[in-house]
Amino acid sequence: MAEHTDPGSLSETYLQISPNILASFPKFRPPVDLYVFDPAVGRTGRYLRGGERLSREGQAEVARFAEEGLLYLLRDDYRIYAEHLSRKLGLLLVEEGFQPQEVAEIFFIAFRNRMADFLNQPREDTFEALRKDVAILAEYVWIDPSRVAFLTHTLERDYDLAVHSVNTMLIGLALYLRLTGGKVEKTVLISLILGLLLHDMGMVMVPKFIRDKEQFLVRRDRESIERHIEAGLNMVRRLKIQDPVILECMDQHHERLDGSGYPARRFDKNITTMGRLCAVADSFSAIVGDRPHRSARDMAEAVRLLSGDGKRYDHALTALLAKVMDERVTD
């Protein structure tokens, strides 16, 4: 059905489909409804329903509309489109029509799905696919570090290892950009993002009945969980991953400043900056996530718990966490 639309309000309702975006669609069955703007009458009308088949003549016409800047999709449909674009993240670096919160959600979907694939099949090819997407995210925040504020709005509460990994990555990335004032090298960003994503991958080796227990764990179960550190390190060694930042995140995210952590019971100065940062991000994500034995806690409460535990967590980093969360609320 056609709608009266003036050019100024067009972008509020619609997202323009560029030739690059159109090329990423399946040729015969676009995933979303396609709309065409007619500048002569100032109307936007639906051209094709999502999933309907396009003839070759229709493909040519749609391509022409895209070239002329007349092809659109409804912003209300962008969630459907987000699943599609999450497999084409490179377009986020070259397309300007997306709102920051839309980009953030697309990144979350992409990394949740990519991590699920990798954790199910931790092979060199799935790691390489993950690394390529990480490089795109690193480029995105390196260009404008303030974009990370929108990324932290996408945190989810699901009890799921892939979701926990992505939540930890987003919080850890925000902490690092705060810590460095945004003055970072892309290579370090890539290493840190990967370390934050992979920090808990050894948990896939912990029996599911232990991970999903609703009651508190007995000593034998806790020992099994503590072994996830070495299990994860063994997995990345088999993949020939030797990046020290990745290894520090994996090896040290359960170490605590007072020596009460594991696996090496390290104290204060023996825990690296990346290890401390990952510890704060991992613990925050665990507190705000739903668990079989307890419900998710409020994010403000999670900040208070970590900030009040200066014996175990780096106070400078928990103070930055409070700022990150304040920025998230007021942004």
Side-chain angles (χ1 to χ4, degrees):
M1 183 174 65
E3 298 178 5
H4 290 284
T5 311
D6 64 83
S9 64
L10 197 61
S11 63
E12 296 177 8
T13 306
Y14 298 95
L15 175 65
Q16 189 175 32
I17 301 175
S18 70
N20 282 335
I21 292 178
L22 182 62
S24 74
F25 286 169
K27 285 186 177 181
F28 293 100
R29 297 187 186 276
V32 292
D33 292 0
L34 302 182
Y35 291 80
V36 175
F37 178 67
D38 184 346
V41 297
R43 287 175 178 264
T44 302
R46 184 163 55 201
Y47 179 87
L48 185 81
R49 289 186 182 275
E52 288 185 354
R53 183 176 176 81
L54 263 178
S55 65
R56 292 191 182 278
E57 293 77 12
Q59 290 176 43
E61 189 172 37
V62 165
R64 177 171 60 80
F65 290 144
E67 288 286 350
E68 295 174 358
L70 303 176
L71 191 64
Y72 291 85
L73 61 88
L74 277 174
R75 283 198 182 274
D76 287 348
D77 288 342
Y78 101 92
R79 291 182 182 276
I80 300 171
Y81 179 57
E83 288 282 353
H84 167 79
L85 195 62
S86 69
R87 298 185 289 274
K88 308 280 185 180
L89 286 184
L91 290 175
L92 297 179
L93 299 178
V94 297
E95 296 293 333
E96 299 180 353
F98 296 103
Q99 296 173 356
Q101 59 268 30
E102 293 172 347
V103 174
E105 187 157 351
I106 291 168
F107 270 122
F108 189 95
I109 292 169
F111 282 104
R112 181 197 63 200
N113 294 344
R114 197 66 85 184
M115 275 303 297
D117 290 343
F118 175 70
L119 292 170
N120 286 333
Q121 295 183 311
R123 305 182 312 231
E124 290 185 15
D125 60 332
T126 53
F127 174 74
E128 182 58 22
L130 176 65
R131 191 196 64 77
K132 287 180 179 179
D133 281 353
V134 164
I136 293 169
L137 175 60
E139 177 79 12
Y140 181 75
V141 296
W142 180 80
I143 291 171
D144 182 358
S146 69
R147 290 168 167 172
V148 77
F150 291 97
L151 295 172
T152 58
H153 277 266
T154 64
L155 301 178
E156 291 189 2
R157 304 297 189 110
D158 292 347
Y159 174 64
D160 177 274
L161 183 54
V163 169
H164 172 72
S165 300
V166 180
N167 285 347
T168 300
M169 180 269 286
L170 295 175
I171 291 298
L173 180 58
L175 286 176
Y176 185 69
L177 291 172
R178 274 276 186 177
L179 184 66
T180 59
K183 298 177 181 179
V184 295
E185 297 180 7
K186 276 186 282 187
T187 54
V188 177
L189 278 180
I190 291 171
S191 296
L192 177 62
I193 293 170
L194 283 170
L196 292 164
L197 284 170
L198 301 182
H199 77 284
D200 246 357
M201 67 178 290
M203 287 296 290
V204 300
M205 304 302 291
V206 177
K208 192 174 186 301
F209 77 90
I210 294 179
R211 285 185 280 135
D212 293 350
K213 268 193 174 182
E214 295 187 4
Q215 65 270 34
F216 287 102
L217 302 175
V218 298
R219 180 177 178 179
R220 181 177 57 192
D221 294 338
R222 290 189 176 278
E223 289 174 349
S224 177
I225 286 180
E226 289 189 12
R227 287 196 291 272
H228 84 273
I229 302 288
E230 187 58 31
L233 290 170
N234 287 336
M235 292 168 77
V236 298
R237 289 185 189 113
R238 287 195 291 271
L239 293 172
K240 300 180 175 59
I241 298 172
Q242 300 177 337
D243 188 311
V245 173
I246 296 175
L247 298 180
E248 286 170 14
C249 287
M250 296 183 70
D251 189 33
Q252 299 181 26
H253 68 276
H254 279 293
E255 297 290 0
R256 301 293 180 257
L257 301 183
D258 62 356
S260 64
Y262 65 87
R265 306 296 190 263
R266 292 177 176 86
F267 282 88
D268 201 350
K269 295 180 180 179
N270 293 322
I271 306 173
T272 66
T273 297
M274 296 307 193
R276 294 167 184 240
L277 186 148
C278 192
V280 172
D282 170 69
S283 294
F284 176 85
S285 299
I287 293 170
V288 302
D290 277 322
R291 297 282 162 158
H293 62 277
R294 64 160 176 78
S295 298
R297 298 191 185 184
D298 181 79
M299 293 187 184
E301 181 184 1
V303 171
R304 288 194 298 271
L305 288 171
L306 295 174
S307 297
D309 197 354
K311 290 184 178 180
R312 298 198 304 156
Y313 295 96
D314 188 303
H315 177 70
L317 289 172
T318 57
L320 290 179
L321 176 65
K323 291 180 179 179
V324 166
M325 288 296 103
D326 284 343
E327 184 179 68
R328 180 182 183 275
V329 170
T330 59
D331 184 41

